[in-house]
Amino acid sequence: MLIRKPSDIQPSEITAESMYRERRRFLGLAAAGFAAAAGGALLLPRPALPALPGRFDNLRPGPYSSGEAPNSYEDITRYNNFYEFGTGKEDPARYAGMLKTDPWSVIVDGEVEQPGRYTLEDLIKPHALEERIYRLRCVEAWSMVIPWVGFPLGDLLKRFRPTSRAKYVAFTTLHDPEQMPGQRRAILDWPYVEGLRMDEAMHPLTLLAVGLYGQVLPKQSGAPLRLVVPWKYGFKSIKSIVRISLTEQMPPTSWNRSAAHEYGFYANVNPAVDHPRWSQKRERRIGELRKRETLPFNGYGEQVASLYSGMDLGKWF
Ligand SMILES: Nc1nc2c(c(=O)[nH]1)N[C@H]1C(S)=C(S)[C@@H](COP(=O)(O)O)O[C@H]1N2
Ligand SMILES: [Mo]
């Protein structure tokens, strides 16, 4: 069956993902000339798309996208790590609704010529948004394929004119226990912080994400602005960012602070180096039963291995 009538479709099926697939299929059909051949009439009974707030249009496909099938919208938004809302994988989907993402602003400071407090709009508007399908691999040995919407972090940083002393970029998540109940407990040293070396931050693979599946980021995924560093462990991909500081010294990172012998600043997806408590050779793609081999640099080695040439990544983990 090519096209279903609205009455054939259960409300539970009308998800962002199914709409996304539907739209893709529609575009595919149109491109293949089916629409013209069918006189367009065949396309009319498509389910009407409910008006979604914050859909991005005219996304162009970005470079380095994975050719793999993305995980479902449900998998991506119901199985999350966001300790500000609890340590259970389903806690963020349950509790992140408490987070107020509008208005939102980000402080940019440190080694830049143009420091300031920028609104979300100031940050995003000058950039052409892209869709990039990237793998995300958690250090806990699960992975997902996610169609992000975003733009390269490096393009944003250039706008603030880093000084010659800028060697690292430090990121900070919102700290507000009123909105983030997980912060009422000392699970981590709040606020959550992460960092990149300048060349990692400027690498064209490094994305600031503002959406997924063509829509505004859901809160559990790090709305309204999060980092995505696809060749690193998921934990480097800090969510709900309120501060970006360029620094001369290597900044602290939350997971290094909490377990320094397990997570270093350069923590990487390295199947050849076991985590102190488990092997890193394989991973489970969410939604699959059989495990996959974990790839060095999460499969992005060709693009990024040179950033670490000469470094012993067993030592500089
Ligand atoms: N602020 C903040 N950012 C965070 C985390 C967190 O707990 N708090 N968890 C990290 C971890 S461990 C992973 S694997 C990814 C998960 O991203 P996802 O929920 O979009 O899959 O987010 C990372 N970013
Ligand atoms: Mo993770």
Side-chain angles (χ1 to χ4, degrees):
M1 181 172 51
L2 195 57
I3 286 153
R4 295 187 294 181
K5 296 191 297 298
S7 57
D8 295 337
I9 296 179
Q10 299 300 309
S12 62
E13 286 183 69
I14 304 176
T15 61
E17 186 219 356
S18 60
M19 285 187 289
Y20 176 89
R21 293 226 167 110
E22 194 69 27
R23 188 161 151 266
R24 282 263 153 128
R25 192 171 60 170
F26 171 72
L27 294 174
L29 286 173
F34 278 79
L42 190 66
L43 297 170
L44 284 178
R46 288 172 67 238
L49 303 185
L52 272 173
R55 251 206 104 70
F56 298 105
D57 278 320
N58 305 318
L59 293 175
R60 47 169 196 184
Y64 309 116
S65 272
S66 163
E68 297 162 293
N71 279 88
S72 71
Y73 187 83
E74 286 71 21
D75 284 348
I76 294 168
T77 59
R78 289 182 197 164
Y79 189 93
N80 299 95
N81 270 342
F82 200 170
Y83 277 24
E84 285 83 342
F85 297 101
T87 53
K89 296 284 179 271
E90 289 167 16
D91 290 341
R94 201 172 299 144
Y95 301 117
M98 301 162 114
L99 177 65
K100 234 183 103 202
T101 56
D102 182 23
W104 192 271
S105 62
V106 176
I107 292 170
V108 179
D109 62 1
E111 295 296 338
V112 285
E113 285 171 21
Q114 315 258 324
R117 180 189 278 273
Y118 296 88
T119 67
L120 191 65
E121 209 195 351
D122 292 338
L123 294 177
I124 298 172
K125 218 168 185 181
H127 300 274
L129 298 180
E130 300 170 8
E131 178 177 81
R132 296 215 188 172
I133 301 171
Y134 279 173
R135 287 178 290 274
L136 179 130
R137 190 206 189 270
C138 182
V139 69
E140 296 163 324
W142 51 266
S143 65
M144 287 198 215
V145 180
I146 302 177
W148 298 108
V149 175
F151 59 94
L153 171 69
D155 292 351
L156 180 79
L157 296 181
K158 278 182 218 149
R159 287 170 49 202
F160 309 122
R161 299 170 184 273
T163 72
S164 59
R165 284 186 299 275
K167 301 279 187 300
Y168 298 92
V169 188
F171 302 87
T172 308
T173 294
L174 179 70
H175 188 197
D176 184 355
E178 291 283 308
Q179 299 183 57
M180 294 177 144
Q183 290 177 336
R184 294 173 207 162
R185 292 170 54 206
I187 303 155
L188 287 174
D189 195 0
W190 309 111
Y192 192 101
V193 291
E194 254 307 336
L196 295 174
R197 201 173 60 193
M198 202 61 186
D199 57 348
E200 299 174 317
M202 298 307 290
H203 193 280
L205 270 175
T206 304
L207 204 68
L208 267 181
V210 295
L212 58 83
Y213 266 117
Q215 294 180 228
V216 167
L217 275 181
K219 292 174 180 176
Q220 62 268 36
S221 300
L225 188 71
R226 70 170 286 173
L227 190 66
V228 180
V229 191
W231 71 94
K232 294 247 159 184
Y233 291 123
F235 66 74
K236 295 297 280 188
S237 296
I238 182 171
K239 297 175 167 184
S240 306
I241 296 166
V242 293
R243 184 170 185 171
I244 300 176
S245 308
L246 284 84
T247 64
E248 201 167 1
Q249 306 299 325
M250 182 185 282
T253 73
S254 282
W255 290 100
N256 178 253
R257 274 181 177 162
S258 94
H261 57 294
E262 297 187 2
Y263 308 113
F265 182 88
Y266 289 102
N268 217 323
V269 179
N270 195 340
V273 177
D274 287 348
H275 182 280
R277 287 181 282 146
W278 56 80
S279 159
Q280 306 231 81
K281 289 192 177 60
R282 276 177 270 284
E283 67 198 52
R284 190 173 67 86
R285 176 70 44 84
I286 297 301
E288 292 181 356
L289 291 176
R290 203 174 324 125
K291 293 211 171 152
R292 291 171 177 257
E293 300 285 312
T294 284
L295 301 170
F297 299 104
N298 199 24
Y300 300 92
E302 216 171 288
Q303 287 79 32
V304 300
S306 63
L307 295 178
Y308 310 99
S309 60
M311 285 174 74
D312 176 354
L313 290 177
K315 186 163 156 256
W316 295 103
F317 63 96

